[in-house]
Amino acid sequence: MALATVAIGSPDLGPAWAEFSRNAGLRDFLERVEVGTLSHGRGESHYWLRRTVREAGRETVTWADSRTCPAVRAVLAGMGDINMHAAPHGSTEGGAIVLHGVAYTLRAPARSGPQYGEITVRANVDTPLTRWGAASFSSLRSCWTDAPPEPVGR
């Protein structure tokens, strides 16, 4: 399944087209990253990330972009490589339900042949999504700044 572009939303920088998050089940903690495109065109495209962290009733927003943080491109490339096996609804495949730990979610555009849509995947125990999510949050750790990136061409 290949990724495409579908809008979610963010100010001044254009719409977000993907979002990934992690949520500590038994704690008041949510970390969400929206992804959007700063520029398309000849040569390299550039991307922005908006990170919102909610913890203990407080919300903090920070930013990163592919022009200043090389990890952004690796995270986005890895997003397209996630391969989740879908078990049928009601299946007991995969074992017990885990009520603790960290749940990861990815919402992104998807393409199957000529058809476009959006897919949401959630997981919290040793899956391709949780491995990609944990590695992505870790690799982006030093990239976050308080100021949003400047739009290209300004």
Side-chain angles (χ1 to χ4, degrees), residues 14-152:
W17 49 264
E19 177 181 302
F20 59 96
S21 63
R22 63 181 170 182
N23 183 352
L26 298 179
R27 285 182 38 218
D28 179 18
F29 176 83
L30 172 68
E31 184 174 16
R32 182 182 70 241
V33 176
E34 294 171 277
V35 180
T37 303
L38 279 169
S39 68
H40 282 300
R42 299 177 190 193
E44 233 173 14
S45 293
H46 299 287
Y47 305 96
W48 59 262
L49 286 88
R50 179 181 189 259
R51 175 179 169 248
T52 304
V53 176
R54 275 197 314 243
E55 186 168 22
R58 295 186 58 210
E59 187 170 283
T60 306
V61 174
T62 52
W63 300 83
D65 74 79
S66 60
R67 296 174 298 184
T68 60
C69 175
V72 169
R73 289 187 188 287
V75 165
L76 298 181
M79 183 188 296
D81 294 334
I82 297 169
N83 184 10
M84 295 290 290
H85 170 73
H89 179 70
S91 168
T92 58
E93 182 179 343
I97 296 173
V98 177
L99 298 177
H100 57 81
V102 177
Y104 289 86
T105 302
L106 170 64
R107 182 174 59 171
R111 182 181 74 213
S112 178
Q115 303 301 317
Y116 290 87
E118 184 176 279
I119 189 167
T120 300
V121 182
R122 291 183 183 91
N124 71 342
V125 178
D126 194 28
T127 67
L129 175 61
T130 61
R131 288 187 292 274
W132 171 84
S136 295
F137 281 107
S138 178
S139 69
L140 293 168
R141 189 174 306 141
S142 65
C143 297
W144 302 114
T145 64
D146 291 335
E150 283 293 318
V152 174

